[in-house]
Amino acid sequence: MASKSNSTFSVLGSDLAIKGDIKASADLHIDGSVEGDISCSSLVQGETSTVTGAIKAESARLAGTVNGSITARELVILKTAKINGDVFYDALTIEQGAQVEGRFAHRDAKPAAAAPQQQQASKPDLQVAS
């Protein structure tokens, strides 16, 4: 644990398949496949990589396939990326050609969550009146 420096990083090669959650204090580069949640400081995902699970990172640069939610302070989705899941971010960049199936929400957008509740509350009133 003495090597918690920001200059350390771990690489998961394209020939590697992992089933299970990954927690890394270092930066992480993934070219293989991961079936589980990932939590790290910085994530770089290669084009051939597949992640099935939630991703939580301070910064993430995604180029492969992700099936799960993504939470990142700084998120870059490259044109080769295919995302199936909700995306929560502070700063977002998406290249033209990237595919995303899911919702985008700014991480500080908590007041907006109250608006749908008010709409839901008004739906029963409309249904009762009809």
Side-chain angles (χ1 to χ4, degrees):
M1 283 222 219
S3 61
K4 277 193 164 184
S5 166
N6 288 339
S7 63
T8 62
F9 66 94
S10 298
V11 177
L12 303 178
S14 60
D15 61 333
L16 192 61
I18 294 179
K19 286 188 179 184
D21 296 347
I22 297 174
K23 290 185 180 179
S25 58
D27 297 347
L28 188 59
H29 183 109
I30 298 177
D31 285 322
S33 66
V34 175
E35 196 172 313
D37 296 344
I38 298 173
S39 178
C40 63
S41 174
S42 178
L43 175 67
V44 175
Q45 181 193 35
E47 290 182 27
T48 60
S49 173
T50 301
V51 175
T52 303
I55 295 174
K56 289 185 180 178
E58 283 296 307
S59 66
R61 186 174 182 87
L62 308 176
T65 302
V66 177
N67 294 305
S69 66
I70 300 165
T71 303
R73 188 172 51 82
E74 294 179 23
L75 178 61
V76 177
I77 302 175
L78 301 176
K79 64 183 176 183
T80 55
K82 294 177 182 160
I83 313 284
N84 294 305
D86 294 342
V87 178
F88 304 94
Y89 63 91
D90 285 346
L92 176 66
T93 303
I94 305 175
E95 283 187 351
Q96 184 175 355
Q99 299 175 20
V100 179
E101 294 291 331
R103 296 178 309 138
F104 286 95
H106 195 270
R107 291 196 318 175
D108 293 334
K110 291 177 185 170
Q117 291 174 350
Q118 291 172 353
Q119 291 173 352
Q120 289 175 354
S122 66
K123 286 182 183 179
D125 293 339
L126 293 175
Q127 291 173 352
V128 172
S130 61

